Amino acid sequence: MTKRTIVKLPGDGIGKTVLEEAIRVLDAAGFEADYIEGDIGWEFWCNEGNPLPDRTLKLLEEHKIGLFGAITSKPKDAAFEELAPELKEKGLVYSSPIVGLRQHFGLDICMRPCHSYKGNPLNFVRRGQGGTIEEPEVDVIIFRQNTEGLYGGVEWSNPSDEVYNALMTHPKFVKNFGNVPREELSVSTRIFTKKATERILRAAFDHAKKYGYKSVTLCEKPNVIRETSGMMYKMAIEIQKADYPDIQLWNTNIDAQMMWLTKNPETYGVIVAGNMFGDIVSDGFAGLIGGLGFACSAQFNPDSGIGVFEPTHGSAPKYADYDVSIVNPIAMIESACMMLDFIDENDIAAKIRKAVAEVIAEGKVRTYDMMKMTGRPDVIEKGAASTQQMADAVIEKL
Ligand code: NAI
Ligand code: MG
């Protein structure tokens, strides 16, 4: 095995803790790598006015693979308040560095797998016939378009003349908003491009083909959001017909999908959606398999080979300063496994996933979330495993 260089991006809060634990697990599994630390997050916003410094972009450009913890993000006014006094005159506006990373490197393919581990007390259960309890096995992977749509950042409050006049060319705008004072208007656009839409659709179909899923479900709202969702649905039909005739294309609306989530989650396999709906539906499925302590993700640009792998949870500031960290490192460890898959270290990834599965099935070591406790420092005394103990348990299995 050639030794890899991985850019570790701890970020803020619990991001730092879970990342270190995941690296211990990677080491124990025999993954040989040098880790270079990249600066990202709140302290760099406060002290430098940029939460994603250029030096970090350069590191990723060079080494291609980033393992990311989590960052703290705040609305722009709150962010401005915390800026170092000498930077306050510079007209800086805060924006999320993780969204910035995605857009800078065109990390447009986001994968969020949600599969239930046997023995996880947080698995979704439902009532079956005759009052029986059923625990459906969830094995879903969400392909979320990661750079466009509602997160594209093209938005205005109190729009300028040019923007306002352009909006006024649309009859629906005139009819529904034409009488609204301009300073009372806020507009966020939802822009989809054919290129990016095709890429995420094909990524989903390719994955279904490779791993034997029988269907791809497009989860949008084409009957109402006719241009963007409508284009995506039309392209999905064409692509399926032309290149993936053996895989069924299902079309569900995001709202109905959220309702069906708990009715028959085992029916779904590969799901594909735009940015916002992909974010929503992936959190929904994550809730069925244990929540944020289990939700991992990969985001990458297939052309440049640049990929960043991260748990979907945030920096959980309220738990960040505990003497003994209580948060669950599994989402981060699973994200590290997705990184290993991406760089073709599938055997090591499989080994780690097997170790995690064994620890969960055995049920002796469980973090506070798995014990359904309220997160407080005393959960450790009450028998919950710490972040480190959970990683130790995985390492022992390895
Ligand atoms: P969060 O994900 O940080 O935490 C929400 C709650 O989920 C926590 O209070 C905790 O109860 C639970 N939780 C999160 N991670 C867990 C883990 N590994 N194990 C067990 N329980 C866990 O979301 P929140 O509180 O809304 O945001 C905190 C900060 O994180 C904000 O500044 C937000 O902007 C940022 N954020 C960053 C993300 C990223 O870096 N990709 C994603 C989401 C939020
Ligand atoms: Mg989210």
Side-chain angles (χ1 to χ4, degrees), residues 216-284:
V216 168
T217 304
L218 174 67
C219 185
E220 279 282 321
K221 186 106 184 170
N223 54 335
V224 177
I225 314 176
R226 290 166 306 173
E227 299 306 326
T228 46
S229 290
M231 177 181 85
M232 194 167 189
Y233 183 37
K234 202 168 151 224
M235 289 178 73
I237 293 171
E238 286 163 7
I239 288 170
Q240 186 270 343
K241 218 184 215 168
D243 296 326
Y244 306 90
D246 299 334
I247 298 165
Q248 296 169 27
L249 170 66
W250 297 349
N251 173 38
T252 63
N253 285 343
I254 176 72
D255 47 348
Q257 179 69 62
M258 296 312 282
M259 180 182 63
W260 291 329
L261 212 59
T262 51
K263 194 169 156 268
N264 55 339
E266 68 272 45
T267 313
Y268 299 98
V270 176
I271 293 200
V272 61
N275 208 337
M276 177 88 250
F277 295 163
D279 202 9
I280 292 173
V281 75
S282 60
D283 270 15

Side-chain angles (χ1 to χ4, degrees), residues 112 144 151 279 283 312:
R112 293 183 164 183
R144 166 192 179 190
Y151 292 24
D279 202 9
D283 270 15
T312 64

Side-chain angles (χ1 to χ4, degrees), residues 37-59:
E37 184 156 335
D39 296 335
I40 186 167
W42 199 245
E43 70 175 281
F44 303 99
W45 162 252
C46 297
N47 300 330
E48 301 178 22
N50 184 0
L52 178 59
D54 286 345
R55 56 186 181 276
T56 305
L57 295 174
K58 285 212 181 82
L59 274 181

Side-chain angles (χ1 to χ4, degrees), residues 37-352:
E37 184 156 335
D39 296 335
I40 186 167
W42 199 245
E43 70 175 281
F44 303 99
W45 162 252
C46 297
N47 300 330
E48 301 178 22
N50 184 0
L52 178 59
D54 286 345
R55 56 186 181 276
T56 305
L57 295 174
K58 285 212 181 82
L59 274 181
L60 267 171
E61 181 85 56
E62 184 181 346
H63 302 293
K64 307 248 188 276
I65 304 296
L67 198 53
F68 175 67
I71 46 95
T72 295
S73 221
K74 299 189 185 177
K76 64 179 188 186
D77 294 343
F80 185 76
E81 285 302 309
E82 292 188 38
L83 203 51
E86 67 275 15
L87 296 172
K88 282 206 164 124
E89 305 300 306
K90 299 203 165 170
L92 301 165
V93 180
Y94 178 79
S95 65
S96 161
I98 184 68
V99 177
L101 255 186
R102 289 169 188 158
Q103 283 165 354
H104 181 85
F105 290 114
L107 308 176
D108 62 332
I109 309 293
C110 174
M111 290 164 65
R112 293 183 164 183
C114 295
H115 65 96
S116 38
Y117 277 111
K118 283 208 171 58
N120 185 352
L122 300 176
N123 282 345
F124 167 69
V125 293
R126 73 181 166 219
R127 212 180 288 281
Q129 273 190 341
T132 51
I133 299 293
E134 298 171 346
E135 189 175 314
E137 191 185 339
V138 178
D139 177 17
V140 160
I141 180 158
I142 292 98
F143 281 76
R144 166 192 179 190
Q145 204 297 323
N146 213 30
T147 47
E148 305 190 333
L150 271 174
Y151 292 24
V154 183
E155 35 187 14
W156 306 268
S157 287
N158 190 9
S160 67
D161 282 350
E162 287 125 305
V163 175
Y164 187 79
N165 293 339
L167 291 168
M168 283 296 268
T169 63
H170 198 295
K172 285 247 164 75
F173 184 85
V174 177
K175 182 160 175 262
N176 297 326
F177 307 103
N179 297 327
V180 181
R182 206 192 297 195
E183 55 289 359
E184 289 181 22
L185 283 172
S186 286
V187 181
S188 299
T189 61
R190 187 178 201 259
I191 300 175
F192 282 28
T193 64
K194 277 201 165 160
K195 186 172 170 208
T197 305
E198 177 164 354
R199 278 161 70 96
I200 195 70
L201 287 167
R202 285 196 182 275
F205 276 109
D206 282 342
H207 190 88
K209 195 169 169 181
K210 185 167 172 195
Y211 293 98
Y213 288 93
K214 67 179 191 309
S215 65
V216 168
T217 304
L218 174 67
C219 185
E220 279 282 321
K221 186 106 184 170
N223 54 335
V224 177
I225 314 176
R226 290 166 306 173
E227 299 306 326
T228 46
S229 290
M231 177 181 85
M232 194 167 189
Y233 183 37
K234 202 168 151 224
M235 289 178 73
I237 293 171
E238 286 163 7
I239 288 170
Q240 186 270 343
K241 218 184 215 168
D243 296 326
Y244 306 90
D246 299 334
I247 298 165
Q248 296 169 27
L249 170 66
W250 297 349
N251 173 38
T252 63
N253 285 343
I254 176 72
D255 47 348
Q257 179 69 62
M258 296 312 282
M259 180 182 63
W260 291 329
L261 212 59
T262 51
K263 194 169 156 268
N264 55 339
E266 68 272 45
T267 313
Y268 299 98
V270 176
I271 293 200
V272 61
N275 208 337
M276 177 88 250
F277 295 163
D279 202 9
I280 292 173
V281 75
S282 60
D283 270 15
F285 273 105
L288 306 180
I289 56 124
L292 290 174
F294 292 86
C296 56
S297 78
Q299 46 198 340
F300 54 90
N301 179 335
D303 298 336
S304 66
I306 295 178
V308 176
F309 303 83
E310 59 156 330
T312 64
H313 64 72
S315 61
K318 65 181 175 188
Y319 303 144
D321 298 324
Y322 282 19
D323 289 338
V324 177
S325 171
I326 65 165
V327 296
N328 191 343
I330 290 176
M332 183 78 237
I333 294 169
E334 286 265 359
S335 305
C337 289
M338 295 191 82
M339 173 191 81
L340 292 172
D341 283 340
F342 188 72
I343 56 177
D344 294 327
E345 295 288 358
N346 310 79
D347 292 348
I348 304 179
K351 219 159 77 173
I352 297 175

